[in-house]
Amino acid sequence: MRRLFLSACAVALGLSIFSTNSDAYAQDPATETAIKYRQSVMKAVGGNMGAMVGIMKGAGDKANLAAHAGAMADLSKIAPTLFPAGSDFGETTALPVIWEKPADFSAAIKKFQDAADNLASVAQSGDMAAFGPAFKGLGESCKNCHENFREKKEKK
Ligand code: HEC
């Protein structure tokens, strides 16, 4: 009887520790902030991408391409810092595979950085014939990472 009581206590204790921990984790302000920060940076990445599309369609000054491409190259450099351990919990579409397969994920980041650097130097040179293909290369690097490491959207 005593043993049964003790084991019931142990189970109850175990459950309460488990639920306290997981609640604390999901609501950890540091985790939430890290996720928000990552999403803000990604929005800036998307914003620069959209701005370049606009310029290619004739809006704005072509000379601005270098600023957007340069910003993209800078943002790609901080990409590795956007995924601290534990930031796969909460309001995020980042997939756990990011943390499970770090080498694959680093390769996807490297692809992004190389493509962004390439675009930045093409934009600096003003070689508009090379800009299109370089831009396409950058777009493929986004797609490559999103397809493998980001939760699919319901509709798009
Ligand atoms: C190495 C991986 C990787 C690369 C490269 C990458 N992304 Fe992302 N992106 C993500 C992940 C993961 C998320 C989900 C972030 C989250 O929800 O926490 C995301 C989210 C986004 C979002 C949504 C942000 C929001 O929450 O509103 C946009 C927009 C975006 N990415 C644009 C881009 C564009 C444009 C490129 C290429 C120029 C790019 N990304 C390259 C991994 C990547």
Side-chain angles (χ1 to χ4, degrees):
M1 196 58 199
R2 195 176 131 86
R3 181 177 281 171
L4 192 66
F5 174 72
L6 282 178
S7 63
C9 284
V11 168
L13 190 67
L15 282 177
S16 79
I17 285 172
F18 179 74
S19 66
T20 311
N21 265 352
S22 61
D23 283 356
Y25 213 24
Q27 290 158 13
D28 182 348
T31 301
E32 214 171 282
T33 307
I35 292 170
K36 285 255 163 10
Y37 174 60
R38 168 166 71 230
Q39 292 172 341
S40 299
V41 173
M42 274 296 162
K43 280 191 182 106
V45 166
N48 280 290
M49 205 68 176
M52 288 190 277
V53 170
I55 296 172
M56 286 188 288
K57 284 184 173 165
D61 192 334
K62 282 216 166 23
N64 295 352
L65 284 175
H68 294 297
M72 199 65 100
D74 285 348
L75 294 173
S76 76
K77 303 286 188 303
I78 64 172
T81 70
L82 303 178
F83 299 88
S87 65
D88 49 342
F89 290 86
E91 292 292 315
T92 179
T93 56
L95 291 176
V97 67
I98 290 171
W99 294 272
E100 288 159 9
K101 296 186 172 173
D104 290 358
F105 187 63
S106 294
I109 287 185
K110 177 81 167 55
K111 222 176 233 182
F112 175 36
Q113 293 172 333
D114 289 350
D117 279 347
N118 180 47
L119 187 72
S121 52
V122 166
Q124 278 288 334
S125 78
D127 179 358
M128 281 312 291
F131 191 86
F135 185 80
K136 193 161 170 265
L138 178 63
E140 277 161 7
S141 78
C142 319
K143 200 166 163 241
N144 171 60
C145 188
H146 289 174
E147 276 181 359
N148 294 301
F149 299 102
R150 185 185 177 200
E151 216 170 276
K152 306 271 171 302
K153 285 204 189 122
E154 298 287 298
K155 265 187 246 158
K156 200 165 175 213

